[in-house]
Amino acid sequence: MMTSEKLANIIRGRGYKLTPQRRAVLRVIARSRDHLTPGAIYERVRKEHPGIGLVTVYRMLELLADLNLTCRVHTEDGCRSYLMRRPSGHHHHIMCTSCGRVVDFTKCDLSELQQRVSEKSGFKIEGHLLQFNGLCQECREKTGAGGPFRTGKVW
Amino acid sequence: MMTSEKLANIIRGRGYKLTPQRRAVLRVIARSRDHLTPGAIYERVRKEHPGIGLVTVYRMLELLADLNLTCRVHTEDGCRSYLMRRPSGHHHHIMCTSCGRVVDFTKCDLSELQQRVSEKSGFKIEGHLLQFNGLCQECREKTGAGGPFRTGKVW
DNA sequence: TATTAATTGAAAAAGATTTTCAATTAACTC
DNA sequence: GAGTTAATTGAAAATCTTTTTCAATTAATA
Ligand SMILES: [Mn+2]
Ligand SMILES: [Mn+2]
Ligand SMILES: [Zn+2]
Ligand SMILES: [Zn+2]
């Protein structure tokens, strides 16, 4: 669990000033279990720190991404930079195409596939992005098997 | 190989009018081996069809995505909707973090992983997004092992 | 050729993100 | 507890990207 205190220490440890604005952003991100847009983060942060500028939120999000403390998730249509906290090292997500809920999973062995792809393509592979898309239990129950948002899209 | 003629037939077959503007967009997309932004596509299309509106390009790209004839790729930082033609059904890509080159691969068996993730999470999984990131052979040779763009980022 | 619904493109609107720059302040030193 | 200083902040403007509107045009069909 990445508390905002731990995040704060990392920030300071890297030589960045720890401002009340930054603390507020850290709290919001550390606490959320969902991915949030910059705008959504801004709205939440404002409740704890009215007067904070949207620019500051953007700058903080950039810093967090640079420090690898957040990662992006990718929605089906629009592809804005949604963010979520990253609990630990390497991880992946499942996203509900209906409600947007995101669940992490960490265990995944792609090494064999990666090896084969690397050999065939000549690439030196350094990372990957893996995200399953589907319907969460709740949405399935709510809308019946399949549900109204079922697109059948394949990535 | 998806020629622009084949694409044109699909478009018409689905009951859409085949305009010179649409033909021009199809040619650009079918010919390119790279992913392109809407803006980049617009620039190229203008050379063959000066006077085409950017809006028309956007509309055509939306149509192609709806018909599942294109798919998006995701760059490391900015996450705009880059597009590339989709040669056939289900597929994935490898992207060079240095030059942006994209290579497809179609063979990948995630069914076992998908099954396990589905059981654990309760999601009904309907699709996935898989993209390896790394350095292509050319960029590796050009810049030495690792290369200057190596970020070590993990998704 | 006439009909008609789909398509186009200019312009405006809406959004998202970045740049600028003067004022503020966290961290450090004395 | 001051004083110093470079980093940080936020208002405003600038940039970009994407969407909406709507009147004019046109591909498809008869
Ligand atoms: Mn994306
Ligand atoms: Mn991973
Ligand atoms: Zn759901
Ligand atoms: Zn390359």
Side-chain angles (χ1 to χ4, degrees):
Chain A
M1 178 67 176
M2 262 298 195
T3 63
S4 71
E5 280 71 33
K6 281 186 193 170
L7 290 168
N9 285 333
I10 295 172
I11 298 287
R12 202 163 19 197
R14 301 288 188 102
Y16 296 96
K17 289 187 185 177
L18 202 45
T19 64
Q21 292 92 334
R22 283 184 170 167
R23 283 180 193 282
V25 173
L26 289 182
R27 276 196 302 273
V28 165
I29 289 191
R31 158 199 321 152
S32 167
R33 294 229 258 117
D34 259 320
H35 54 115
L36 299 168
T37 60
I41 292 168
Y42 174 58
E43 286 311 322
R44 296 189 184 199
V45 170
R46 279 217 287 182
K47 286 176 187 158
E48 309 196 8
H49 194 106
I52 191 176
L54 176 57
V55 220
T56 301
V57 172
Y58 269 99
R59 286 191 279 232
M60 185 58 173
L61 294 178
E62 197 186 353
L63 177 60
L64 288 171
D66 285 350
L67 296 178
N68 251 309
L69 296 171
T70 54
C71 73
R72 280 176 234 274
V73 295
H74 303 261
T75 58
E76 285 226 335
D77 53 315
C79 185
R80 310 274 173 284
S81 58
Y82 297 105
L83 300 160
M84 68 179 299
R85 80 210 156 87
R86 197 174 80 159
S88 68
H90 169 118
H91 90 278
H92 312 87
H93 10 266
I94 323 168
M95 178 185 290
C96 179
T97 52
S98 173
C99 70
R101 179 185 320 222
V102 171
V103 172
D104 295 328
F105 66 95
T106 48
K107 274 178 203 145
C108 103
D109 186 16
L110 295 178
S111 58
E112 197 187 324
L113 176 61
Q114 174 167 333
Q115 178 62 27
R116 210 188 62 224
V117 167
S118 179
E119 280 168 10
K120 281 224 176 183
S121 66
F123 274 61
K124 177 177 190 312
I125 294 176
E126 299 181 326
H128 64 263
L129 161 65
L130 175 58
Q131 178 179 309
F132 284 107
N133 301 303
L135 284 171
C136 72
Q137 194 143 32
E138 204 169 299
C139 284
R140 244 175 31 248
E141 284 163 4
K142 204 183 305 167
T143 60
F149 290 90
R150 191 172 187 181
T151 62
K153 271 187 194 169
V154 178
W155 288 84
Chain B
M1 179 63 176
M2 262 298 194
T3 62
S4 70
E5 280 71 33
K6 282 187 193 171
L7 290 168
N9 285 332
I10 294 173
I11 298 288
R12 202 164 18 198
R14 301 287 189 103
Y16 297 96
K17 288 187 184 176
L18 202 46
T19 64
Q21 292 91 334
R22 285 183 167 166
R23 283 180 192 282
V25 173
L26 289 181
R27 276 196 300 273
V28 165
I29 289 190
R31 159 199 321 152
S32 168
R33 295 228 258 116
D34 260 320
H35 53 116
L36 300 167
T37 61
I41 292 169
Y42 174 58
E43 286 312 322
R44 295 187 187 201
V45 171
R46 280 218 287 183
K47 286 176 188 158
E48 308 196 5
H49 194 105
I52 191 176
L54 176 57
V55 220
T56 301
V57 172
Y58 269 97
R59 286 192 277 233
M60 186 56 174
L61 294 178
E62 197 186 352
L63 177 61
L64 289 170
D66 285 349
L67 296 179
N68 252 308
L69 296 170
T70 54
C71 73
R72 279 176 234 275
V73 295
H74 304 261
T75 57
E76 284 225 336
D77 53 316
C79 187
R80 311 270 174 285
S81 57
Y82 297 105
L83 299 161
M84 70 179 299
R85 81 212 152 87
R86 197 174 79 159
S88 68
H90 169 117
H91 88 280
H92 312 87
H93 11 264
I94 324 167
M95 179 185 289
C96 179
T97 52
S98 174
C99 70
R101 180 183 322 220
V102 171
V103 172
D104 295 328
F105 67 96
T106 47
K107 275 177 204 145
C108 103
D109 186 16
L110 296 179
S111 58
E112 196 187 326
L113 175 61
Q114 174 166 333
Q115 179 61 27
R116 210 187 61 224
V117 166
S118 179
E119 279 167 12
K120 280 225 177 184
S121 66
F123 274 60
K124 178 177 191 311
I125 294 176
E126 300 181 326
H128 64 263
L129 161 64
L130 174 59
Q131 179 179 310
F132 284 108
N133 300 304
L135 283 171
C136 72
Q137 193 144 33
E138 204 169 297
C139 284
R140 250 182 17 258
E141 285 164 2
K142 204 185 304 169
T143 61
F149 290 88
R150 190 173 188 178
T151 62
K153 271 186 195 169
V154 178
W155 289 82

